[in-house]
Amino acid sequence: MTHTPDMPQPVTLPPRYFWRRLEAFTIDLIIFQAVILIVVSHISAAFHLDFRFPGWTSTWCGVTVPDQLAQRIEAGWPLRGNESRETSICEVTQIALGKQRYLQTGAAEDTEHWVWTDMPTFPLDAHDNPVTTPLPAYSILISGVANTVFVAGAFAYFSANGRRTIGKSLAGLKVQSVDGQNPAIGTTFKRELLKFSPSLFFSVTVFVFSLFPILPTEDFDTLLRMMRDGYTIPDDGGAGYYVILTVAVMAWWLLPFVAWQGQVFYDRICACKVVSPLEASRPIEARTRQNKPRMYRRLAPIRGSRRRRRRACLRVPY
């Protein structure tokens, strides 16, 4: 008799839990970021510092322009008969960098509707001289990395040793190792740092681009004459930075859900997975049997009866 091989068992991928994970991530990020900002606000008030987080800073303008600097601007950018000038100095206090001052100047034509030229911003040194050389964005690098580490640490602490964040508790999810154990704090912190690596990549990218010059000359007086003749200082690339961040987020966070293989990239690196509490409480063997396809489970009795009949035929004497 011909032997019929058993039907191969297809591999069933774990569920994505995409919307539940997105809900949990959004809730946790809002909570952790709000707590960090509240703590930073109290520290800033106590020590008179401004922790400059990207998108969470304000600039105060209104400092009187020194006469020497005002005369220099008038000589390099003389006004025409129908123009008016606006010049101000803005101050920003940043942690580890002290107080930084910036010069803003521009001109407008006195027509029916005021048409202002671009208001370029120049950092000022200790002697109120405009700085036209590349200024490394240390503040963005320090604040971006610090904020990412704080948020990743909060996520890691509430995901380690069987704990769950508020968002995951509401969404009914839990972080677990692939062997069914609860990950330790070191594993969860590595996982969260990898999760927020697009944010770190953004901060480092902005810092690297700030090292390259964007002005055609480093002489401030020459630059003023060029601006009087219609030269416009190019954008510092802020829109391009956010395009880079969006592409990195899409590739790192969303691409694994499109080509789903059971885990996102940082889960594969850290040997973790996101499961429901009911799934986490079941033994691994039970989960394996549960993941069998429905058709395979329906055919199992038929295949078993065929094997029994075949064994019975072999026992019958001819």
Side-chain angles (χ1 to χ4, degrees):
M1 295 181 62
T2 59
H3 176 69
T4 303
D6 293 343
M7 180 183 297
Q9 178 182 348
V11 178
T12 303
L13 298 177
R16 288 181 174 87
Y17 295 128
F18 177 79
W19 294 111
R20 293 165 66 177
R21 293 179 69 161
L22 180 61
E23 173 192 355
F25 176 77
T26 303
I27 294 174
D28 292 333
L29 185 62
I30 292 175
I31 294 175
F32 292 147
Q33 191 68 78
V35 171
I36 291 174
L37 291 176
I38 292 174
V39 173
V40 164
S41 176
H42 283 78
I43 295 177
S44 301
F47 297 96
H48 305 287
L49 295 173
D50 180 14
F51 292 78
R52 189 177 182 181
F53 287 89
W56 297 90
T57 185
S58 60
T59 303
W60 180 77
C61 300
V63 181
T64 304
V65 179
D67 295 337
Q68 181 181 359
L69 180 58
Q71 294 173 2
R72 188 177 177 184
I73 295 174
E74 292 289 343
W77 189 346
L79 296 176
R80 299 180 178 88
N82 61 339
E83 287 184 338
S84 177
R85 186 190 314 279
E86 179 178 341
T87 303
S88 62
I89 293 180
C90 304
E91 291 184 348
V92 177
T93 304
Q94 303 175 22
I95 184 173
L97 297 178
K99 182 181 294 184
Q100 292 186 341
R101 296 156 61 88
Y102 298 89
L103 170 68
Q104 287 185 339
T105 182
E109 296 182 5
D110 187 5
T111 58
E112 182 179 355
H113 300 285
W114 289 85
V115 180
W116 286 92
T117 59
D118 292 335
M119 297 282 290
T121 302
F122 301 95
L124 298 176
D125 60 13
H127 303 287
D128 289 332
N129 295 318
V131 179
T132 56
T133 56
L135 186 63
Y138 290 111
S139 61
I140 295 179
L141 179 64
I142 295 174
S143 61
V145 172
N147 186 49
T148 302
V149 171
F150 289 154
V151 173
F155 271 91
Y157 176 79
F158 287 100
S159 299
N161 301 322
R163 292 185 290 266
R164 291 194 291 169
T165 61
I166 296 178
K168 283 187 173 61
S169 298
L170 295 177
L173 297 175
K174 181 181 180 180
V175 178
Q176 193 178 59
S177 301
V178 292
D179 57 358
Q181 303 298 323
N182 294 321
I185 183 66
T187 302
T188 56
F189 185 68
K190 175 183 176 181
R191 177 180 180 271
E192 297 303 332
L193 278 182
L194 291 172
K195 177 194 295 184
F196 290 100
S197 57
S199 177
L200 296 175
F201 176 74
F202 172 76
S203 301
V204 173
T205 302
V206 173
F207 174 75
V208 171
F209 275 98
S210 68
L211 302 177
F212 297 93
I214 61 173
L215 300 176
T217 178
E218 295 183 359
D219 184 70
F220 181 68
D221 299 322
T222 304
L223 191 60
L224 285 177
R225 289 191 292 268
M226 294 175 61
M227 294 169 58
R228 178 198 60 188
D229 297 335
Y231 173 76
T232 301
I233 295 180
D235 184 25
D236 59 354
Y241 298 148
Y242 287 100
V243 171
I244 294 175
L245 176 62
T246 302
V247 173
V249 168
M250 294 288 289
W252 186 247
W253 289 351
L254 300 183
L255 183 60
F257 287 100
V258 176
W260 184 244
Q261 296 183 9
Q263 295 169 303
V264 292
F265 292 139
Y266 47 86
D267 282 334
R268 298 180 198 175
I269 297 174
C270 299
C272 294
K273 58 183 178 179
V274 177
V275 298
S276 64
L278 179 61
E279 184 180 357
S281 61
R282 292 200 302 265
I284 297 180
E285 295 78 5
R287 276 177 260 162
T288 304
R289 291 194 298 268
Q290 184 68 22
N291 287 334
K292 290 183 178 180
R294 181 179 300 176
M295 183 59 66
Y296 181 84
R297 294 197 299 269
R298 289 181 178 179
L299 292 176
I302 300 176
R303 293 168 53 250
S305 61
R306 288 178 179 175
R307 286 195 296 269
R308 287 192 295 271
R309 287 198 301 268
R310 188 162 56 248
R311 287 194 297 268
C313 291
L314 295 176
R315 288 195 299 267
V316 174
Y318 290 99

